[in-house]
Amino acid sequence: MPVSPKLLTLENMTEYPLSELFSGKLYRFCQAKGSGRFRGKFRKERLTPAGGGYYDRQWKRQGRTTPAERTMKMEFDRRWLDPDKAGAELAARAAEIAADPELLAECFGGELEFGTAGLRGILDAGTARMNRLTVGKATQGLARVLLEDHDCPGVAIAYDSRHFSREFAEEAAGILAANGVHVWIYPELMPTPALSYAVRELGCQSGIMITASHNPPEYNGYKVYDHTGGQIVSEFARRVSEAIASVDPFDGVRRSILSPRFQAYKGTNEIGG
């Protein structure tokens, strides 16, 4: 039998994800139980104030943190609002996001996950979005792993025509160079096979391709390749992911203090330049 809807109170509203708040009412799509024509189909159900949704109960039995709990325990890092730390554009955008609870939960309610395909996400401010700080955090983590395995590692970088691809590529180049990693970067946009060729031809230990492949234009991505020119394997991805998790995006990333553009990055070369 369906649960009779009950009104929410201010005391129990914080149990649910902000993204599910619509005009003071909470709904979820869940699988209908019982018999009849709705059995096994998905229906929209209004939640009870006790947080008694079927999937929330299942997750709690398994000892997992529900999406509601993750969202409401989120702590907003106010350094995102500091132009000196986040940059003027990101800080201004973060201030806009902070004023919108639903958008705040979407952009800062988690972090981009790094896997064998690297990072991929919507371009915007926030820990769960692709931006200069998340790219910097990922690059610092990659640099740590490479320096653990090699005395003088080399990395080739390429980028496509997506929004901010060149900026992210240059950001990665500067961070790697600041960490003592030798970097080669293409002076113009290139397809992914060109990056694989550069990794093998130059004898690099890794490669970075700034692209989101077939995803919509509001996305961008950060793909990492190994010394063979192919995408990294799961074990290496796990090590990089753990290294990224330990990096503070503001104070834990080494960045070049020199002026921008390729010639400013010490130890950076242009491929074909």
Side-chain angles (χ1 to χ4, degrees):
M1 296 294 292
V3 178
S4 300
K6 298 179 182 179
L7 292 176
L8 296 167
T9 64
L10 291 176
E11 288 73 24
N12 57 46
M13 269 185 139
T14 56
E15 297 178 10
Y16 300 95
L18 293 175
S19 59
E20 292 182 336
L21 282 172
F22 296 100
S23 303
K25 299 178 181 179
L26 287 165
Y27 296 91
R28 75 162 66 248
F29 286 94
C30 64
Q31 197 167 13
K33 290 181 172 292
S35 58
R37 63 191 181 95
F38 291 109
R39 183 177 182 181
K41 296 183 179 180
F42 285 88
R43 60 185 173 81
K44 193 164 85 167
E45 175 189 75
R46 186 168 178 177
L47 293 174
T48 63
Y54 173 74
Y55 291 106
D56 278 349
R57 292 198 303 271
Q58 289 292 96
W59 283 30
K60 287 179 179 178
R61 286 195 197 103
Q62 298 168 12
R64 298 163 62 189
T65 303
T66 66
E69 292 169 335
R70 285 201 304 270
T71 301
M72 299 318 300
K73 289 179 181 178
M74 178 188 69
E75 294 184 3
F76 178 66
D77 190 340
R78 299 193 67 81
R79 290 179 296 177
W80 280 88
L81 304 177
D82 187 347
D84 294 331
K85 288 187 173 292
E89 292 185 8
L90 276 181
R93 176 58 181 157
E96 295 176 3
I97 292 172
D100 185 331
E102 183 177 342
L103 193 56
L104 180 65
E106 292 176 2
C107 295
F108 288 90
E111 295 201 6
L112 290 178
E113 293 186 5
F114 184 92
T116 54
L119 298 175
R120 184 178 299 152
I122 297 173
L123 292 162
D124 207 348
T127 57
R129 294 290 187 260
M130 282 291 294
N131 52 67
R132 184 180 65 85
L133 290 175
T134 51
V135 167
K137 182 175 181 176
T139 305
Q140 183 65 46
L142 175 62
R144 288 183 182 179
V145 174
L146 290 174
L147 290 168
E148 287 176 1
D149 296 342
H150 309 280
D151 293 332
C152 187
V155 176
I157 300 177
Y159 54 93
D160 66 8
S161 60
R162 284 178 174 269
H163 300 304
F164 297 103
S165 284
R166 184 167 189 159
E167 289 82 354
F168 291 164
E170 294 181 5
E171 179 75 6
I175 292 169
L176 290 170
N179 279 273
V181 177
H182 201 71
V183 185
W184 287 267
I185 185 167
Y186 278 106
E188 57 190 13
L189 60 90
M190 284 287 174
T192 301
L195 185 275
S196 296
Y197 164 78
V199 170
R200 297 193 305 271
E201 181 68 15
L202 298 169
C204 295
Q205 282 67 50
S206 187
I208 298 172
M209 182 71 199
I210 306 297
T211 181
S213 303
H214 59 279
N215 285 268
E218 63 269 21
Y219 282 75
N220 210 334
Y222 179 102
K223 292 186 176 182
V224 178
Y225 295 78
D226 63 17
H227 66 283
T228 68
Q231 285 189 205
I232 56 175
V233 296
S234 57
E235 176 59 23
F236 188 79
R238 181 192 62 79
R239 292 178 60 203
V240 175
S241 178
E242 291 175 355
I244 292 172
S246 66
V247 174
D248 184 297
F250 296 99
D251 302 323
V253 178
R254 289 186 177 182
R255 288 187 167 87
S256 171
I257 61 174
L258 303 175
S259 59
R261 305 303 303 144
F262 302 121
Q263 65 271 19
Y265 296 127
K266 184 178 181 182
T268 303
N269 298 322
E270 291 184 1
I271 302 171

